[in-house]
Amino acid sequence: LGVELSSQRVESMVHTVGHGTGRVPVAQFVAWMFNGDDIGAPKPAAQPAKAAKSLENAENVLMATTIQAHLQKVLKAHPYAEPGASLAVHPAQPFVNSCRTCLEAEKFEQAQEALRRVISVIDIDTRQIGEAFRRFD
């Protein structure tokens, strides 16, 4: 993520939020990482509806970030799957576009499915190329 954290700050956050258990709820960790919340003193209890909305937002941020990071990792390893990166259209490119569109629309299940299809198309492509080279060896 490109974030440098001191071990003292991380330990302080875990101790404060985890109430001595050593565990931190995902929603609070995401809020701390992405919103820059400085966790030091306990905050007043949020109203249930506000807390539920905050948890939903944190889960959405985590889901979107995870899918986007995985897509970037796949495209870094297979740059030809990036739309516009090659002269010929690769079969994975429409799924890359679909994944990005779904992420923008916050349709995370569809984005995950599109990502699965990107990976599947690349895996099939890689196996076919590997088999072709094995035949010439």
Side-chain angles (χ1 to χ4, degrees), residues 59-135:
E59 288 173 346
N60 287 347
V61 167
L62 181 61
M63 182 72 78
T65 303
T66 302
I67 294 169
Q68 181 65 33
H70 198 156
L71 179 62
Q72 291 301 340
K73 181 179 176 184
V74 169
L75 292 176
K76 186 175 181 180
H78 307 279
Y80 53 85
E82 178 73 62
S86 60
L87 295 176
V89 175
H90 188 273
Q93 290 177 355
F95 298 117
V96 171
N97 286 333
S98 176
C99 183
R100 288 181 174 148
T101 302
C102 291
L103 282 172
E104 289 173 9
E106 295 185 1
K107 296 179 179 180
F108 303 118
E109 288 181 24
Q110 290 94 334
Q112 280 183 317
E113 181 59 31
L115 178 60
R116 278 189 213 104
R117 290 180 182 201
V118 168
I119 294 168
S120 176
V121 168
I122 291 173
D123 285 346
I124 290 169
D125 200 29
T126 304
R127 275 188 264 140
Q128 288 175 343
I129 292 169
E131 183 62 30
F133 277 104
R134 245 190 316 277
R135 290 181 184 182

Side-chain angles (χ1 to χ4, degrees), residues 44-58:
Q47 296 173 351
K50 189 175 181 180
K53 187 69 173 169
S54 176
L55 178 60
E56 181 180 333
N57 288 341

